[in-house]
Amino acid sequence: MGSRLRPEALAGAASRHPWRTLAVWAVLILAAALATSAFLADALTTQANFTSRPESVRARDLVEQRLRGPERDTELVIVRSASRTVDDPAFRARVAELQAGIAGLGGGVVQRVGGADQLEDPSLVSRDRHATLLPVVMTGTVEQAADHIGALRGVVDRADGGGFEVLLAGQGALSEDFNTIAEEDLRQGETIGVVVALVVLVAVFGALVAALLPIALAVLAIVAAIGLVALLGLAFDFSFFVTNMITMMGLAVTIDYSLFIVSRYREERRAGHAKLDAIELAGATASRAVLFSGMTVVLALVGMLLIPTTLYRSLAAGAILVVLAAVAASLTLLPALLGLLGDRVDALRVRRRSSSGRERQGGVWVAISRGAMRRPVLSLLAAVAFLLVAATSMFDLRTGFAGVSTLPDDFASKRAFTVLATEFSGGLTSPVQVVVDGDADDAGVARGVERLRALLAADGGFGPSAVEVNDARDLSVVSASVTGDPSGPQAVDAVTRIRQDYVPQAFPAATPAEVLVGGETAFNKDFFDLTDTYTPIVFGFVLLLSLLLLTAVFRSIVVPVKSILLNLLSVGAAYGIIVAVFQRGGPAVGRSVADLLGFQQVDAIEAWLPLFLFSVLFGLSMDYHVFLLSRIREHYDRTGNNTESVAEGVRTTARIITGAALIMVAVFGGFAAGRLVSFQQMGFGLAVAVLIDATIIRSVLVPAAMKLLGDWNWYLPSWLGWLPKLTVEAPRPVQVPAEPPAELEPVPVPAQDRG
């Protein structure tokens, strides 16, 4: 690493001027809090949009520009009665009263409520005539309408009862319910993650002050990242999921980074270094590893920024910002706090430090790694076989979106959807729209529209169709509701049939019109196709950048290639386990695990999840590789003994990496305990992959592979000599005083580990 940015220099400067450092951070956190309060609400959106122009977006734009104007949110109020039909005067009176109540919200909330012949329209009356739909067109854009859903829901809830069931269905109501669950899941995930992290940190450090430091830094990093999102939101829209991403990643990486640095500082103090020297040595070793780990995570996440959708870019931006904030806090604020606390970091001890040396020896993980090195071929084959078996379900992966059918049963949107699906058509709130850009009076266009409607009528996946023509008669829109969940795989398959089969049949190549398929389900289909297109691009981008960075860091081509292969194994195993547990139709053991943990099995895995998991897991798994391999390389450079260097690396990092992994598993598991199936899949997948990486990969595969490769681990071809030398180990030793500090007890070193 160049002389302009050296973590040990930052650590030394921060520890020598702690109050200045704290003052800078106080100003930054205050500014972030003010920005969050002023701008965050406007920066977040519940809508997932493209930054490119796929077919569904072009269709939507044509409808907005030449037919209906800006897209409106149409909510459906469902009125049902088990004892009365729509012909009953009491039923009609309740509908009229409800219609007047909604209209009373004013033009600033509602643009139009039903019609004069509301109960005479057969498309708005159920087959048994015990229910009717009251369409409510909200004022303003879809985003503006979201602010008024609560007022509309209030009127609907007050009308419920007295022999009538009144429900609200629509995109606005659905988004509000998803937001409510997401906020509840976020609070629950935070609580579980922080509590378990504190317990693990106390167990690792044995002191309450040392345990609270990483959590405090995590909170500050999260606040800083959310403030940055609020500021960037002045120019870009972010999905509301960004706050969940920031909180989850912020807790995981900041606590881990702080844990490594504080542990190294305490280790150097126990070795006898003066306080400031110990901080600088921790900066020259652990902080450097944190910096490189953070760079690797960021590089892995940058790949998602290539995909032209606000969802991927929001998730990537949130994670990148909080990782950068975590690295900045770990490299500057943490050394300043250590400079102030000194050995008081071990205050409020809950247990005395062990004098047996067991902590130093590394316990069970060292025993496992030594066993793997004694039988490297057998260990390697067994571990790889296990991971490949775990990954087999990956080949059955089906992707989709979690729609209203995945909501908990106690939410009104779920009950409303059930009524729509059984008594009307589930896709009434989000119909498929086939947009015909051409002269509506042209004979070929007119025949095409009629042929298309006939094809849709013969397909059991759609309800009755309707045609709307603009005033200029140069744009026709054929609308048809999809049966079932508009986000479900059956609806997506129906859109595929329209695009691939029905449109070519109805509108031959000679027809003077452009035909585009739009609507929410078509939008989802375009998202899936875009993800499939960009997946190999992102994979290649992340793998290449990671290879270059790790090659420069470890001055070896073998270590990076091996690390990448091992990471791909852990990611593949995580994919397979997710599919087995969450996707219907998988192995019985997956269903048993889902039932045991309270997970919901669905038809498809979230479409954004595989690519997201790859990027995040590839970055996070490199954390442990960098920390472990940096210790191994540090010892190898001193001794030239590969086997002992691997053992030393595992021994000195085993307890810390285990604690860090448990914290990550707890944080991710806390989010998996939520009720949104998308969070369940994300949290469970991340937790499983981290657990695999910290156990099987770190304790079995890495030692076995490095034992087999021997000195070839550190081979760098001469033609790669041009790569910059980015060292993780300390550039020079700091003079050790004659006596260790009185405040900290030295840890005895077993005879076999001396010298």
Side-chain angles (χ1 to χ4, degrees), residues 532-552:
D532 291 342
T533 299
Y534 275 86
T535 293
I537 298 173
V538 174
F539 273 47
F541 178 84
V542 171
L543 293 176
L544 179 60
L545 286 185
S546 299
L547 178 65
L548 291 175
L549 177 64
L550 292 177
T551 301

Side-chain angles (χ1 to χ4, degrees), residues 231-308:
L231 290 174
L232 290 173
L234 295 173
F236 308 99
D237 287 334
F238 288 92
S239 167
F240 73 98
F241 280 122
V242 71
T243 54
N244 298 70
M245 171 56 54
I246 286 175
T247 301
M248 183 180 67
M249 288 291 291
L251 286 172
V253 299
T254 313
I255 292 175
D256 269 17
Y257 293 164
S258 303
L259 170 61
F260 283 109
I261 293 173
V262 172
S263 298
R264 187 63 183 247
Y265 163 75
R266 295 167 83 242
E267 179 183 328
E268 299 299 344
R269 287 291 286 139
R270 291 197 303 273
H273 293 284
K275 179 181 72 175
L276 294 181
D277 288 342
I279 293 173
E280 192 165 348
L281 269 177
T285 51
S287 294
R288 282 184 168 229
V290 163
L291 178 59
F292 287 118
S293 295
M295 289 170 59
T296 306
V297 174
V298 168
L299 286 177
L301 292 167
V302 163
M304 285 198 295
L305 294 177
L306 301 175
I307 308 173

Side-chain angles (χ1 to χ4, degrees), residues 322-397:
V322 80
V323 169
L324 292 176
V327 171
S330 301
L331 267 57
T332 58
L333 181 57
L334 184 55
L337 293 173
L338 291 175
L340 289 174
L341 289 171
D343 297 329
R344 291 191 299 276
V345 73
D346 268 340
L348 303 179
R349 295 198 64 82
V350 296
R351 64 171 171 80
R352 291 186 60 81
R353 189 178 304 281
S354 171
S355 59
S356 66
R358 184 170 179 79
E359 172 183 296
R360 174 78 174 170
Q361 291 176 344
V364 64
W365 300 116
V366 169
I368 292 174
S369 64
R370 287 188 181 276
M373 286 191 289
R374 281 195 297 271
R375 298 177 180 83
V377 175
L378 178 62
S379 300
L380 192 70
L381 292 176
V384 169
F386 173 80
L387 293 177
L388 290 177
V389 169
T392 52
S393 294
M394 172 180 66
F395 299 103
D396 297 323
L397 174 68

Side-chain angles (χ1 to χ4, degrees), residues 159-211:
D160 189 49
F164 291 90
E165 182 181 24
V166 184
L167 300 169
L168 182 63
Q171 290 304 305
L174 182 61
S175 295
E176 185 182 56
D177 282 348
F178 268 108
N179 285 345
T180 299
I181 303 176
E183 290 172 0
E184 293 173 355
D185 288 355
L186 177 61
R187 288 193 294 270
Q188 176 177 285
E190 288 174 339
T191 301
I192 294 175
V194 168
V195 169
V196 176
L198 182 59
V199 171
V200 173
L201 288 168
V202 169
V204 171
F205 290 134
L208 192 57
V209 172

Side-chain angles (χ1 to χ4, degrees), residues 463-719:
S465 63
V467 181
E468 193 174 1
V469 181
N470 67 346
D471 293 337
R473 302 196 62 79
D474 60 358
L475 190 76
S476 305
V477 178
V478 179
S479 300
S481 60
V482 292
T483 56
D485 189 341
S487 297
Q490 291 81 11
V492 175
D493 290 342
V495 168
T496 302
R497 290 196 299 275
I498 295 178
R499 285 181 171 174
Q500 294 182 357
D501 300 328
Y502 301 160
V503 167
Q505 292 177 40
F507 298 91
T511 306
E514 180 184 21
V515 183
L516 304 171
V517 181
E520 180 193 350
T521 308
F523 185 97
N524 293 345
K525 167 66 175 169
D526 287 338
F527 182 91
F528 304 153
D529 292 343
L530 193 71
T531 298
D532 291 342
T533 299
Y534 275 86
T535 293
I537 298 173
V538 174
F539 273 47
F541 178 84
V542 171
L543 293 176
L544 179 60
L545 286 185
S546 299
L547 178 65
L548 291 175
L549 177 64
L550 292 177
T551 301
V553 168
F554 293 108
R555 307 302 293 172
S556 163
I557 191 64
V558 178
V559 165
V561 170
K562 174 174 58 65
S563 298
I564 287 172
L565 292 176
L566 295 182
N567 283 346
L568 290 175
L569 267 178
S570 64
V571 171
Y575 281 176
I577 294 172
I578 290 172
V579 172
V581 171
F582 287 96
Q583 188 171 284
R584 289 194 187 105
V589 65
R591 178 68 187 179
S592 299
V593 172
D595 291 341
L596 177 65
L597 299 178
F599 292 151
Q600 182 180 173
Q601 285 204 317
V602 292
D603 292 326
I605 304 301
E606 288 293 292
W608 53 268
L609 192 67
L611 193 52
F612 165 81
L613 281 181
F614 170 79
S615 298
V616 174
L617 292 177
F618 203 86
L620 291 180
S621 61
M622 282 299 183
D623 269 358
Y624 301 133
H625 283 262
V626 169
F627 285 115
L628 173 59
L629 293 173
S630 62
R631 278 298 184 98
I632 294 173
R633 180 74 203 216
E634 190 177 335
H635 192 269
Y636 181 81
D637 285 345
R638 291 200 306 267
T639 66
N641 188 317
N642 179 74
T643 301
E644 283 306 312
S645 296
V646 174
E648 171 73 7
V650 173
R651 178 170 61 81
T652 54
T653 61
R655 182 180 179 88
I656 303 304
I657 289 181
T658 300
L662 287 176
I663 290 169
M664 278 200 177
V665 169
V667 170
F668 298 146
F671 283 87
R675 292 192 289 173
L676 277 184
V677 69
S678 56
F679 283 175
Q680 291 177 356
Q681 293 174 3
M682 177 178 67
F684 179 77
L686 289 169
V688 165
V690 168
L691 194 60
I692 289 173
D693 195 76
T695 54
I696 298 174
I697 300 295
R698 184 248 301 178
S699 298
V700 179
L701 285 177
V702 169
M706 296 194 78
K707 171 67 175 179
L708 286 173
L709 291 168
D711 290 339
W712 281 101
N713 282 298
W714 313 109
Y715 170 70
L716 181 70
S718 58
W719 57 270

Side-chain angles (χ1 to χ4, degrees), residues 30-44:
L30 177 60
L34 292 175
T36 299
S37 175
F39 307 125
L40 183 63
D42 293 332
L44 303 182

